[in-house]
Amino acid sequence: MGVKVHFTDAKGASVEAEGEAGDSLLKVGQAHGLPLEGTCEGQMACSTCHVIVAAEWFDRLEQASEEEEDMLDFAAGVRRTSRLSCQIELTEALDGLAVTIPSEAHDMSA
């Protein structure tokens, strides 16, 4: 079963994406051409895949690890509901997840 994700890109445009349970949010966003660089390829050694999770979804996610919280300290435009998209694994319970890519995001790999 596919898991739908609603992205709002850094310019405010809405992008509907779909991944599979077990996919990382980073992988789904990249597959849909969104500016989620993911320089460290999901190893949690950078913050280039930072997203802001919609408040109504934030508490449904597994809690961020201390390592993820530390990496978010380096992300531009961090908010209370910020997460690294490489650390969000899609599940059926997250069908309809809504996230925003911060306006400060720049994908240098593009």
Side-chain angles (χ1 to χ4, degrees), residues 22-41:
D23 286 345
S24 73
L25 184 60
L26 172 62
K27 176 182 172 185
V28 173
Q30 288 175 331
H32 287 81
L34 293 163
L36 294 170
E37 189 173 334
T39 301
C40 71
E41 299 179 358

Side-chain angles (χ1 to χ4, degrees), residues 7 23-27 36 38-40 42-53 58 61-76 78-90 97 99-100 102:
F7 286 94
D23 286 345
S24 73
L25 184 60
L26 172 62
K27 176 182 172 185
L36 294 170
T39 301
C40 71
Q43 300 302 307
M44 214 169 18
C46 71
S47 59
T48 61
C49 68
H50 167 226
V51 295
I52 301 165
V53 178
F58 187 74
L61 301 176
E62 289 189 28
Q63 189 171 357
S65 67
E66 186 175 333
E67 293 85 3
E68 181 179 355
E69 293 287 349
D70 289 345
M71 289 312 307
L72 284 166
D73 288 342
F74 298 105
V78 172
R79 312 288 194 293
R80 184 187 66 78
T81 61
S82 288
R83 292 293 303 270
L84 298 179
S85 63
C86 69
Q87 298 302 300
I88 298 174
E89 183 178 311
L90 297 182
L97 176 66
V99 299
T100 300

